């Protein structure tokens, strides 16, 4: 057994059974769990069914150099998001064509433009971001998939996976030829909690709560409960959970701007919902989003931070000379640019034609988050040809991206108690926490990581969406 990326080659089945057994017991004992089914939220009852989170049995080998590179990028992206968020005109202009064809993005932009009109200022700005990367095997470059600025999930569970893997290697490492010290420590949970707590403190109302905005139907609630439980245990801060519809029903803004939910003042609003059109089935949800935005509570994210994380903005930032508008440091700019994959808007005829010729080299992405929306392969060609023939404005609803091809390897994936030995590829997410109060940067950190591994035949990558499993990193 070697540590050069082949350590997931087939193990004796007796050993695999034993490892899987240990991993699942450990997961249950330590809260590495998800809901066992989608539970319709009723009041504040969370639903009690649970099952171990989908996991890789062993950590994924990843070269240390690239690992460092990804970690170094986090504070730079944090700062970039903040700078871009302050340029309301850039956000409005860049998304103006998307707005015409995409009602959801349009609604977000409407809220944003109302805030611009009333000259709403966010003094305290909190970002809990996650920048996702794949290591492209053709170019040997670490390339960014996307930057998540809203609902960056799994900060709670990802550090448990790292701990689980270290624990397994402590016990079976000799057998496997693996060293648990090569799994980097993961502070995603404690640092996300710290950022929320510090934002709460900056707000200066010791009786106020943190509001978790949640979806009415959720399976990944324990990941969220980890955060609220840390807030309580370490910082004695109370959190409450509400859907957007509930916020609309119970919420109000006082004349001084305070946000009140069910009689409680809210210091920080942490969104684990609100990034998808499905989260806004009626006007009620939009009015809740608007209420929150116009209040003086700290929002994670604010509408501006949310918009900075859109795929359209990612593509605009990758254009020549755009980063220079927001950042001064040339080294930082070079580092960011190095991780940008090829990105094109669909008014770029050259990009579109090339994608029609060689669709397998591209991914077509609509302006959506949350998994399951991208278009691959022959469908890229079909969609582009159709939109072109129609001369459709709808072209503006998409961006085109270079397809990244990570090297595949073998791994054991465990889901619902059953393991599979499969050819897989991985995506590395690096968490970033940023907190600012006016001119003072209170926090700007790289804050842990999330490795996600999926069978290489699957295009999509979401864990919650059922495509991938949670994994950790084995530095090589
Ligand atoms: P979402 O907002 O739905 O998470 P992403 O941009 O992260 O959108 O795309 C979803 C998944 O599709 C990613 O997790 C990754 O597995 C895959 N993917 C996205 N972009 C690319 C790309 N350029 N090359 C290869 N795979 C990609
Ligand atoms: Mg993603």
């Amino acid at each position: 057994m070697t540590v050069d990326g082949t350590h997931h080659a087939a193990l004796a089945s007796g050993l695999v059974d034993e490892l899987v057994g240990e991993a699942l017991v450990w997961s249950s004992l330590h809260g590495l769990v998800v809901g066992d089914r989608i539970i319709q939220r009723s009041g504040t009852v969370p639903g009690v069914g649970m099952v171990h989170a989908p996991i890789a049995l062993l950590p994924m080998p990843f070269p240390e150099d690239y690992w460092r590179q990804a970690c170094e990028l986090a504070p730079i992206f944090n700062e970039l998001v903040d700078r871009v968020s302050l340029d309301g005109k850039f956000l409005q202009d860049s998304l103006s064509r998307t707005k015409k064809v995409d009602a959801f993005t349009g609604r977000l932009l409407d809220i944003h433009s109302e805030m611009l009109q009333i000259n709403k200022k966010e003094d305290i700005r909190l970002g809990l971001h996650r920048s996702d990367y794949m290591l492209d095997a053709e170019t040997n470059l670490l390339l960014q998939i996307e930057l998540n600025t809203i609902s960056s999930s799994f900060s709670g569970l990802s550090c448990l996976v790292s701990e689980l893997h270290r624990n397994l290697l402590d016990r079976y490492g000799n057998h496997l030829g693996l060293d648990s010290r090569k799994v980097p420590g993961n502070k995603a949970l404690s640092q996300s909690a710290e950022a929320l707590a510090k934002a709460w403190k900056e707000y200066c109302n010791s009786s106020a709560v943190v509001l978790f905005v949640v979806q009415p139907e959720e399976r990944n609630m324990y990941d969220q409960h980890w955060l609220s439980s840390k807030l309580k245990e370490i910082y004695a801060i109370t959190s409450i959970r509400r859907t957007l519809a509930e916020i609309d029903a119970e919420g109000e803004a006082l004349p001084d701007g305070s946000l009140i939910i069910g009689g409680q003042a809210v210091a920080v609003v942490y969104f684990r919902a609100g990034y998808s059109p499905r989260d806004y089935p009626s006007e009620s949800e939009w009015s809740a989003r608007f209420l929150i935005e116009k209040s003086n509570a700290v929002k994670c994210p604010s509408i501006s931070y949310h918009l900075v994380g859109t795929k359209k903005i990612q593509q605009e930032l990758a254009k020549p000379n755009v980063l220079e508008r927001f950042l001064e440091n040339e080294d930082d700019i070079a580092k960011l640019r190095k991780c940008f994959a090829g990105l094109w808007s669909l008014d770029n005829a050259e990009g579109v034609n090339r994608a029609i010729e060689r669709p397998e080299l591209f991914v077509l992405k609509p302006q959506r988050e949350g998994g399951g929306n991208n278009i691959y392969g022959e469908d890229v060609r079909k969609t582009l040809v159709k939109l072109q023939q129609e001369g459709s404005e709808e072209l503006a609803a998409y961006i085109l991206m270079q397809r990244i091809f990570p090297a595949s390897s073998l791994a054991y994936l465990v889901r619902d108690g059953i393991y599979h030995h499969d050819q897989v590829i991985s995506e590395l997410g690096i968490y970033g926490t940023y907190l600012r109060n006016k001119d003072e940067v209170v926090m700007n950190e790289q804050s842990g990581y999330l490795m996600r591994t999926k069978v290489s035949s699957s295009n999509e990558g979401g864990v919650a969406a059922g495509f991938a499993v949670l994994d950790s990193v084995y530095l090589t």
Side-chain angles (χ1 to χ4, degrees), residues 119-365:
N119 199 23
K120 179 85 169 58
K121 293 276 177 278
E122 299 292 329
D123 287 336
I124 308 171
R125 304 198 289 276
L126 171 64
L128 294 180
H129 309 312
R130 199 188 67 228
S131 181
D132 293 333
Y133 306 91
M134 280 179 172
L135 194 51
D136 185 47
E138 320 236 304
T139 55
N140 272 324
L141 289 171
L142 178 87
L143 296 177
Q144 185 182 48
I145 297 282
E146 66 160 346
L147 177 64
N148 301 282
T149 58
I150 182 167
S151 202
S152 310
S153 54
F154 292 117
S155 56
L157 299 190
S158 70
C159 27
L160 290 171
V161 182
S162 307
E163 242 180 87
L164 163 68
H165 284 160
R166 284 180 152 193
N167 193 276
L168 286 176
L169 296 193
D170 278 339
R171 298 173 57 184
Y172 295 90
N174 279 342
H175 243 81
L176 301 165
L178 298 171
D179 178 353
S180 67
R181 287 166 303 184
K182 301 268 184 176
V183 179
N186 194 346
K187 292 195 186 163
L189 176 59
S190 58
Q191 294 199 350
S192 303
E194 184 185 341
L196 285 164
K198 285 188 164 159
W200 175 88
K201 191 152 176 267
E202 294 292 325
Y203 186 80
C204 290
N205 175 355
S206 60
S207 60
V209 299
V210 174
L211 167 63
F212 282 49
V213 183
V214 297
Q215 294 176 327
E217 296 179 322
E218 177 66 86
R219 270 193 77 182
N220 194 25
M221 61 286 223
Y222 298 106
D223 181 52
Q224 304 165 1
H225 283 294
W226 268 111
L227 254 184
S228 34
S229 108
K230 286 287 167 216
L231 282 174
K232 191 78 201 166
E233 274 171 26
I234 303 178
Y235 303 97
I237 297 172
T238 302
S239 336
I240 57 171
R241 297 165 64 81
R242 294 290 187 277
T243 63
L244 284 167
E246 288 165 342
I247 293 166
D248 181 49
E250 296 175 35
E252 58 174 328
L254 299 186
D256 72 350
S258 311
L259 177 65
I260 309 290
I261 306 288
Q264 287 167 301
V266 175
V268 180
V269 183
Y270 173 57
F271 284 91
R272 291 296 293 262
Y275 51 83
S276 147
R278 285 189 302 271
D279 294 337
Y280 302 85
S282 73
E283 281 307 305
S284 209
E285 288 77 14
W286 284 113
S287 96
R289 183 74 194 259
F290 186 74
L291 175 78
I292 292 167
E293 198 59 34
K294 88 179 181 236
S295 81
N296 66 16
V298 182
K299 296 116 198 139
C300 182
S302 65
I303 193 80
S304 320
Y305 268 40
H306 182 174
L307 291 172
V308 176
T310 56
K311 294 175 172 75
K312 181 65 190 171
I313 296 298
Q314 177 187 12
Q315 174 255 306
E316 287 292 318
L317 289 171
K319 281 184 180 170
N321 301 319
V322 177
L323 284 179
E324 284 78 358
R325 286 174 55 182
F326 300 103
L327 299 173
E328 302 87 43
N329 186 308
E330 287 176 18
D331 284 347
D332 287 353
I333 292 173
K335 282 179 189 164
L336 293 186
R337 193 155 280 141
K338 194 172 171 200
C339 81
F340 287 172
L343 286 155
W344 300 269
S345 75
L346 297 200
D347 48 22
N348 180 314
E350 202 181 315
V352 173
N353 290 334
R354 175 116 180 90
I356 289 173
E357 274 164 38
R358 300 288 307 276
E360 70 282 5
L361 300 181
F362 295 84
V363 181
L364 189 58
K365 298 190 176 185

Side-chain angles (χ1 to χ4, degrees), residues 146 311 365 369-371 374 376 402 404 427 454 460:
E146 66 160 346
K311 294 175 172 75
K365 298 190 176 185
E369 318 291 328
N374 297 338
Y376 299 86
Q402 162 195 353
I404 301 163
E427 179 171 350
K454 63 174 183 179
E460 288 290 336

Side-chain angles (χ1 to χ4, degrees), residues 36-37 39 45-50 221-222:
D36 62 348
R37 73 204 101 137
I39 294 165
V45 180
V48 288
M50 66 183 90
M221 61 286 223
Y222 298 106

